[in-house]
Amino acid sequence: MASAAVPLERENYLNKEYGIGSWLLTTDHKRIALLYLLSITFFFFIGGFFALLIRLELLTPAGDLVQADTYNKLFTMHGQVMVFFFLIPSVPAVLGNFLIPIMIGAKDLAFPRINLLSWYLYAIGGLFMLYTIVNGGVDTGWTFYTPLSSQFLDTQVVAAALAIFIAGFSSILTGLNFIVTVHRMRAPGMTWSRLPLFVWANYATAIIQVLGTPVLAITLMLVALERIFRLGIFDPQRGGDPLLFQHLFWFYSHPAVYIMILPGMGVVNEIVPCFSRKRVFGYRFMALAVIAIAVLGFLVWAHHMFVAGISLYAAMVFSLLSYFVAVPSAIKVFNWTATMYKGSVSFDTPMLYALGFIGLFMMGGLTGLFVAALGIDVHVHDTYFVVAHFHYIMVGGMVIAYLAGIHFWWPKISGRMYPEFWGKLAAMIIFVGFNLTFFPQFVLGYLGMPRRYWQYSPEFQVLNVFSTAGATILAVGYLLPMAYLLWSMRYGKIAGDNPWNAAGLEWTISSPPTTFNFDETPIVTHEAYNYGEIDQPKEVPVER
Amino acid sequence: MSGHIATKRLYVSVWIALMCLTVATAAVSRIELGHFNIVLALLIATCKASLVALFFMGVKYISNKMTIVVIVAGLFWLGILLSLSMTDYLTRPWT
Amino acid sequence: MSDSTIAVDTHESDLQHHFANLEQQQEASVMGMWVFLITEIMFFGGMFAGYMIYRHLHYQGFVQGSLHMDFWWGTINTVVLLCSSLTMAMAVRAAQTSQRKAIVVFLLVTILFGLAFLGIKVIEYHSHWVEHQFPGHDFHLLDEKGQPSPYTSEAEVFFSFYWAMTGFHALHMVIGVGLVSWIAFLAWRGRYDAHYFTPVENVGLYWHFVDLVWIYLYPLLYLISNKHLSG
């Protein structure tokens, strides 16, 4: 027993039952969220380990740490693990699973057993991925382009495709669950216009998951069938078109990047008003913007194929459409800023991360416009410019938003506060490390350093060294929360129900919540971010 | 679907219509009509599909409008996949 | 006609704890099935997109390939599936009207139709296999006059889609037969009546969807050519 006096705990979802069986057979959305938290953290470190090896190799222009084929495997598996086993599940499967039922006033998701099935599918997909890694790896690039993947490699292409196929079903079922839950399980009074924007964002994400992922599934199946049965669908010598693979692959994989970023925007939507003590500026537009991003995101996929051999006219159409999809994102950035304007801003750890997100996402998003321009893309396609662009959004945006959410809702999930000093320190180390890692890559790409190359021209070395230095700082920054969050579960300050004095149904229940969340179904009577009322409650007139 | 109970006669009538449409599409396919063959084939297929969806799957009697939105969205998204990919293949000969 | 003389089963035990009432649970369940079906639309949709693109690029090859489809087996299979949709709809209707025996009978007939479909597919696959119409495995194709077709390599792409699309369809049929068998068993045990029949309804939706896919596969694979070498 700890030496500090531990107050007698009420029954909550963590202590209700003990034993590994009660976790592996749970249907409680909160426990499933924690199962995901553990597994995606595990894969994050595997993907991060590959990244470390990549950056170590790139310290010197010569290919001297690993062989060329090994390097191909490193960047391939870094991408696959990070995209499919960390980023795509991250916020929806951890924070979404935990919070969505509570935020809408429900006792669980619509289909709790399918929720558990989702996690098992993720875990099984993860096992296939581990099998792939251990048995020689795969070196197609995370994009699996044909005919390289379908005909010319003898690495674990089928195993990797299977791993992602299975994990894809996990994603589809989670999306299905969220859609039905938001439509059918809202508490009385919780109208669509009172929904927290976090729920809107995950709902929009769920739409993408449900409509896009099946196309990835069939595409990977076709590649696997081509390899196993030597079919010829993508073989130019037998009438096939390798670009067909790219069309089908990117039909999912472009919207997939919105699967990855929208939940992060949802997190920021909750944090910014709380730490500005102000309602969200333009709630309606914020909600419509996430839906617009989800829809428009499906219309732009061939901007990944501008130099692959598609028709110039199609390229122009996709380039134009790609500009449209930037508009709703820009609206969101403006509205976050307007929310903070004349607010009472405080800089707790979640807000530091949220501010980092807004700035870095903006840079990543703006550079997306650069590459959406046909002429510029011809120059920077397949260079480090593109690598920097998507890492600004995925890491500077999404990973930081994920950490923001973990810190913001940590008191609710665990009942404890993390140590604020270490939280702020880690946030700043991550910010510095991130920029040092990836800003030089914009320059490198523009100067012409190609991506996926294991050797490079000596004039690029200085910037590569900066980048690797940044990566090590970033790694330290990521390890810190692991350490202090674990520490806090035992020694952290007891959080109380609402340490942030935040709006939202999740802050009205105990920390940690009970298994069924609410003793009585809440009835909602006010808008989502009523910070004005929370901070200055109207005086109730005394009855005479 | 959960609320409305169709009559056996309705189902059998729909089935008869489906049989007729199948005979029609099979017969028409044996006649050389050039480009019109595929148009007719898909038209008939869509009629059959609509009958199955509206009556056997109960779409005609669904009270929940969201379900209709879900179905339309699915079809629309398939349309996006088919039409936007064709912008590439149809315009390649132009360049 | 209900065949129970005891009190009507209110299906309280079927209500899951997180739902307020059975109606909410059923509506959620049916909506969930429809959302699942649109994921299936996109899953098959990927193959339809590929088919459409290659038919555009290699039309003659597709005509040649379709020449070798068995018109009669394909048409019979289409009829078989449409009949199975009728019996499936009848089964759901029997559940809505609490006719336990009728549910079981209609479901069993549906299974028979499903197995008939799969049996015919086996016959077709076998004949395509022995005639070297499997891509990548000594593939060759003859034209109407019995000569090696000049469109052989394009027809190979057609056959890739034939095998992949009908293969995935058949896989879904096998799963469907499994699902129908499972609810037929539960129906026989008296689980379903007018107050609770959502699993029957949902399996019905799945079954009809698989039929819908075939309704499109049939003309797209079997009816491209006006003539057929076998049938």
Side-chain angles (χ1 to χ4, degrees), chain A residues 82 281 369:
Chain A
M82 286 306 208
F281 179 87
L369 292 175

Side-chain angles (χ1 to χ4, degrees), chain C residues 53-72:
Chain C
I53 287 165
Y54 282 130
R55 182 179 168 138
H56 167 75
L57 292 175
H58 303 308
Y59 181 65
Q60 284 307 322
F62 273 52
V63 173
Q64 289 284 294
S66 190
L67 201 62
H68 291 268
M69 291 290 122
D70 192 313
F71 176 82
W72 288 111

Side-chain angles (χ1 to χ4, degrees), chain A residues 173-500:
Chain A
L173 290 178
T174 298
L176 188 158
N177 226 335
F178 283 5
I179 290 176
V180 180
T181 301
V182 174
H183 275 285
R184 304 264 92 187
M185 312 275 291
R186 284 169 289 128
M190 178 56 82
T191 58
W192 285 91
S193 55
R194 290 180 179 157
L195 272 180
L197 289 169
F198 178 80
V199 179
W200 272 105
N202 279 280
Y203 176 76
T205 306
I207 293 175
I208 308 176
Q209 284 172 297
V210 154
L211 289 168
T213 321
V215 178
L216 177 74
I218 189 63
T219 310
L220 291 176
M221 276 290 100
L222 289 176
V223 170
L225 289 177
E226 177 116 340
R227 277 182 75 84
I228 297 170
F229 294 109
R230 286 175 278 130
L231 287 180
I233 300 177
F234 305 114
D235 180 0
Q237 290 186 318
R238 289 194 279 156
D241 181 14
L243 280 191
L244 172 64
F245 171 82
Q246 292 189 30
H247 275 297
L248 292 175
F249 177 82
W250 286 113
F251 181 85
Y252 163 75
S253 297
H254 186 82
V257 314
Y258 299 111
I259 296 178
M260 294 187 263
I261 199 67
L262 282 175
M265 292 177 162
V267 170
V268 171
N269 278 327
E270 297 301 311
I271 292 177
V272 167
C274 178
F275 293 95
S276 311
R277 308 312 299 174
K278 247 182 98 200
R279 352 181 0 248
V280 168
F281 179 87
Y283 172 94
R284 194 148 289 222
F285 271 86
M286 291 295 236
L288 287 174
V290 291
I291 301 290
I293 293 171
V295 174
L296 291 173
F298 272 97
L299 304 179
V300 303
W301 78 82
H303 66 220
H304 299 269
M305 299 162 63
F306 282 156
V307 297
I310 60 172
S311 103
L312 179 62
Y313 298 96
M316 293 193 314
V317 167
F318 279 103
S319 174
L320 182 65
L321 289 168
S322 302
Y323 274 85
F324 287 144
V325 77
V327 172
S329 300
I331 290 177
K332 292 189 80 67
V333 173
F334 279 125
N335 284 9
W336 286 319
T337 316
T339 302
M340 289 188 277
Y341 178 66
K342 289 199 178 163
S344 172
V345 180
S346 54
F347 295 96
D348 296 80
T349 305
M351 187 60 163
L352 287 182
Y353 279 116
L355 290 171
F357 172 94
I358 296 173
L360 298 175
F361 167 75
M362 199 169 64
M363 285 177 66
L366 287 174
T367 50
L369 292 175
F370 285 35
V371 285
L374 284 175
I376 298 186
D377 191 61
V378 170
H379 178 59
V380 300
H381 177 76
D382 269 348
T383 68
Y384 266 85
F385 191 90
V386 178
V387 175
H389 156 69
F390 64 72
H391 281 94
Y392 259 77
I393 313 196
M394 291 298 121
V395 183
M398 192 50 213
V399 177
I400 282 186
Y402 173 72
L403 290 172
I406 292 287
H407 284 78
F408 185 58
W409 282 293
W410 188 252
K412 184 57 54 184
I413 294 172
S414 67
R416 306 280 180 147
M417 290 301 289
Y418 58 84
E420 183 62 34
F421 167 77
W422 288 98
K424 288 197 171 83
L425 182 66
M428 290 191 285
I429 293 176
I430 287 175
F431 187 81
V432 167
F434 169 82
N435 280 296
L436 188 57
T437 310
F438 291 106
F439 193 83
Q441 294 184 7
F442 276 125
V443 182
L444 281 169
Y446 193 72
L447 291 176
M449 180 177 170
R451 66 185 283 200
R452 295 176 168 172
Y453 273 40
W454 127 104
Q455 311 173 290
Y456 54 82
S457 206
E459 70 259 28
F460 297 135
Q461 181 170 22
V462 172
L463 290 171
N464 269 296
V465 170
F466 277 134
S467 183
T468 301
T472 27
I473 297 173
L474 193 56
V476 169
Y478 288 141
L479 287 169
L480 280 175
M482 285 261 0
Y484 64 68
L485 288 176
L486 273 169
W487 175 91
S488 77
M489 293 195 76
R490 184 71 107 89
Y491 302 108
K493 204 173 63 152
I494 304 279
D497 293 354
N498 194 353
W500 308 119

Side-chain angles (χ1 to χ4, degrees), chain A residues 50-74:
Chain A
F50 289 135
L52 210 60
L53 290 175
I54 292 171
R55 287 299 345 149
L56 284 175
E57 170 62 75
L58 292 177
L59 268 176
T60 60
D64 42 15
L65 185 68
V66 297
Q67 306 198 318
D69 283 345
T70 311
Y71 187 78
N72 292 349
K73 293 176 185 178
L74 290 177

Side-chain angles (χ1 to χ4, degrees), chain B residues 1-89:
Chain B
M1 183 72 172
S2 305
H4 177 270
I5 303 179
T7 59
K8 285 189 196 170
R9 168 187 283 178
L10 175 67
Y11 284 156
V12 173
S13 312
V14 168
W15 174 77
I16 291 174
L18 289 168
M19 292 295 114
C20 293
L21 287 171
T22 306
V23 168
T25 198
V28 164
S29 79
R30 310 299 290 229
I31 310 168
E32 171 62 55
L33 292 167
H35 286 303
F36 206 51
N37 272 116
I38 178 70
V39 172
L40 215 52
L42 286 176
L43 216 65
I44 296 177
T46 305
C47 287
K48 289 162 76 178
S50 306
L51 284 171
V52 171
L54 286 170
F55 295 103
F56 287 164
M57 296 173 94
V59 172
K60 189 167 199 296
Y61 306 107
I62 286 182
S63 44
N64 178 15
K65 289 207 184 63
M66 260 335 283
T67 309
I68 309 283
V69 172
V70 164
I71 299 168
V72 170
L75 295 170
F76 181 72
W77 251 255
L78 178 62
I80 294 175
L81 173 62
L82 296 176
S83 54
L84 274 185
S85 352
M86 284 312 280
T87 64
D88 177 20
Y89 291 93

Side-chain angles (χ1 to χ4, degrees), chain A residues 79-91:
Chain A
Q80 288 171 338
V81 167
M82 286 306 208
V83 168
F84 296 108
F85 294 94
F86 175 68
L87 282 168
I88 289 198
S90 60
V91 168

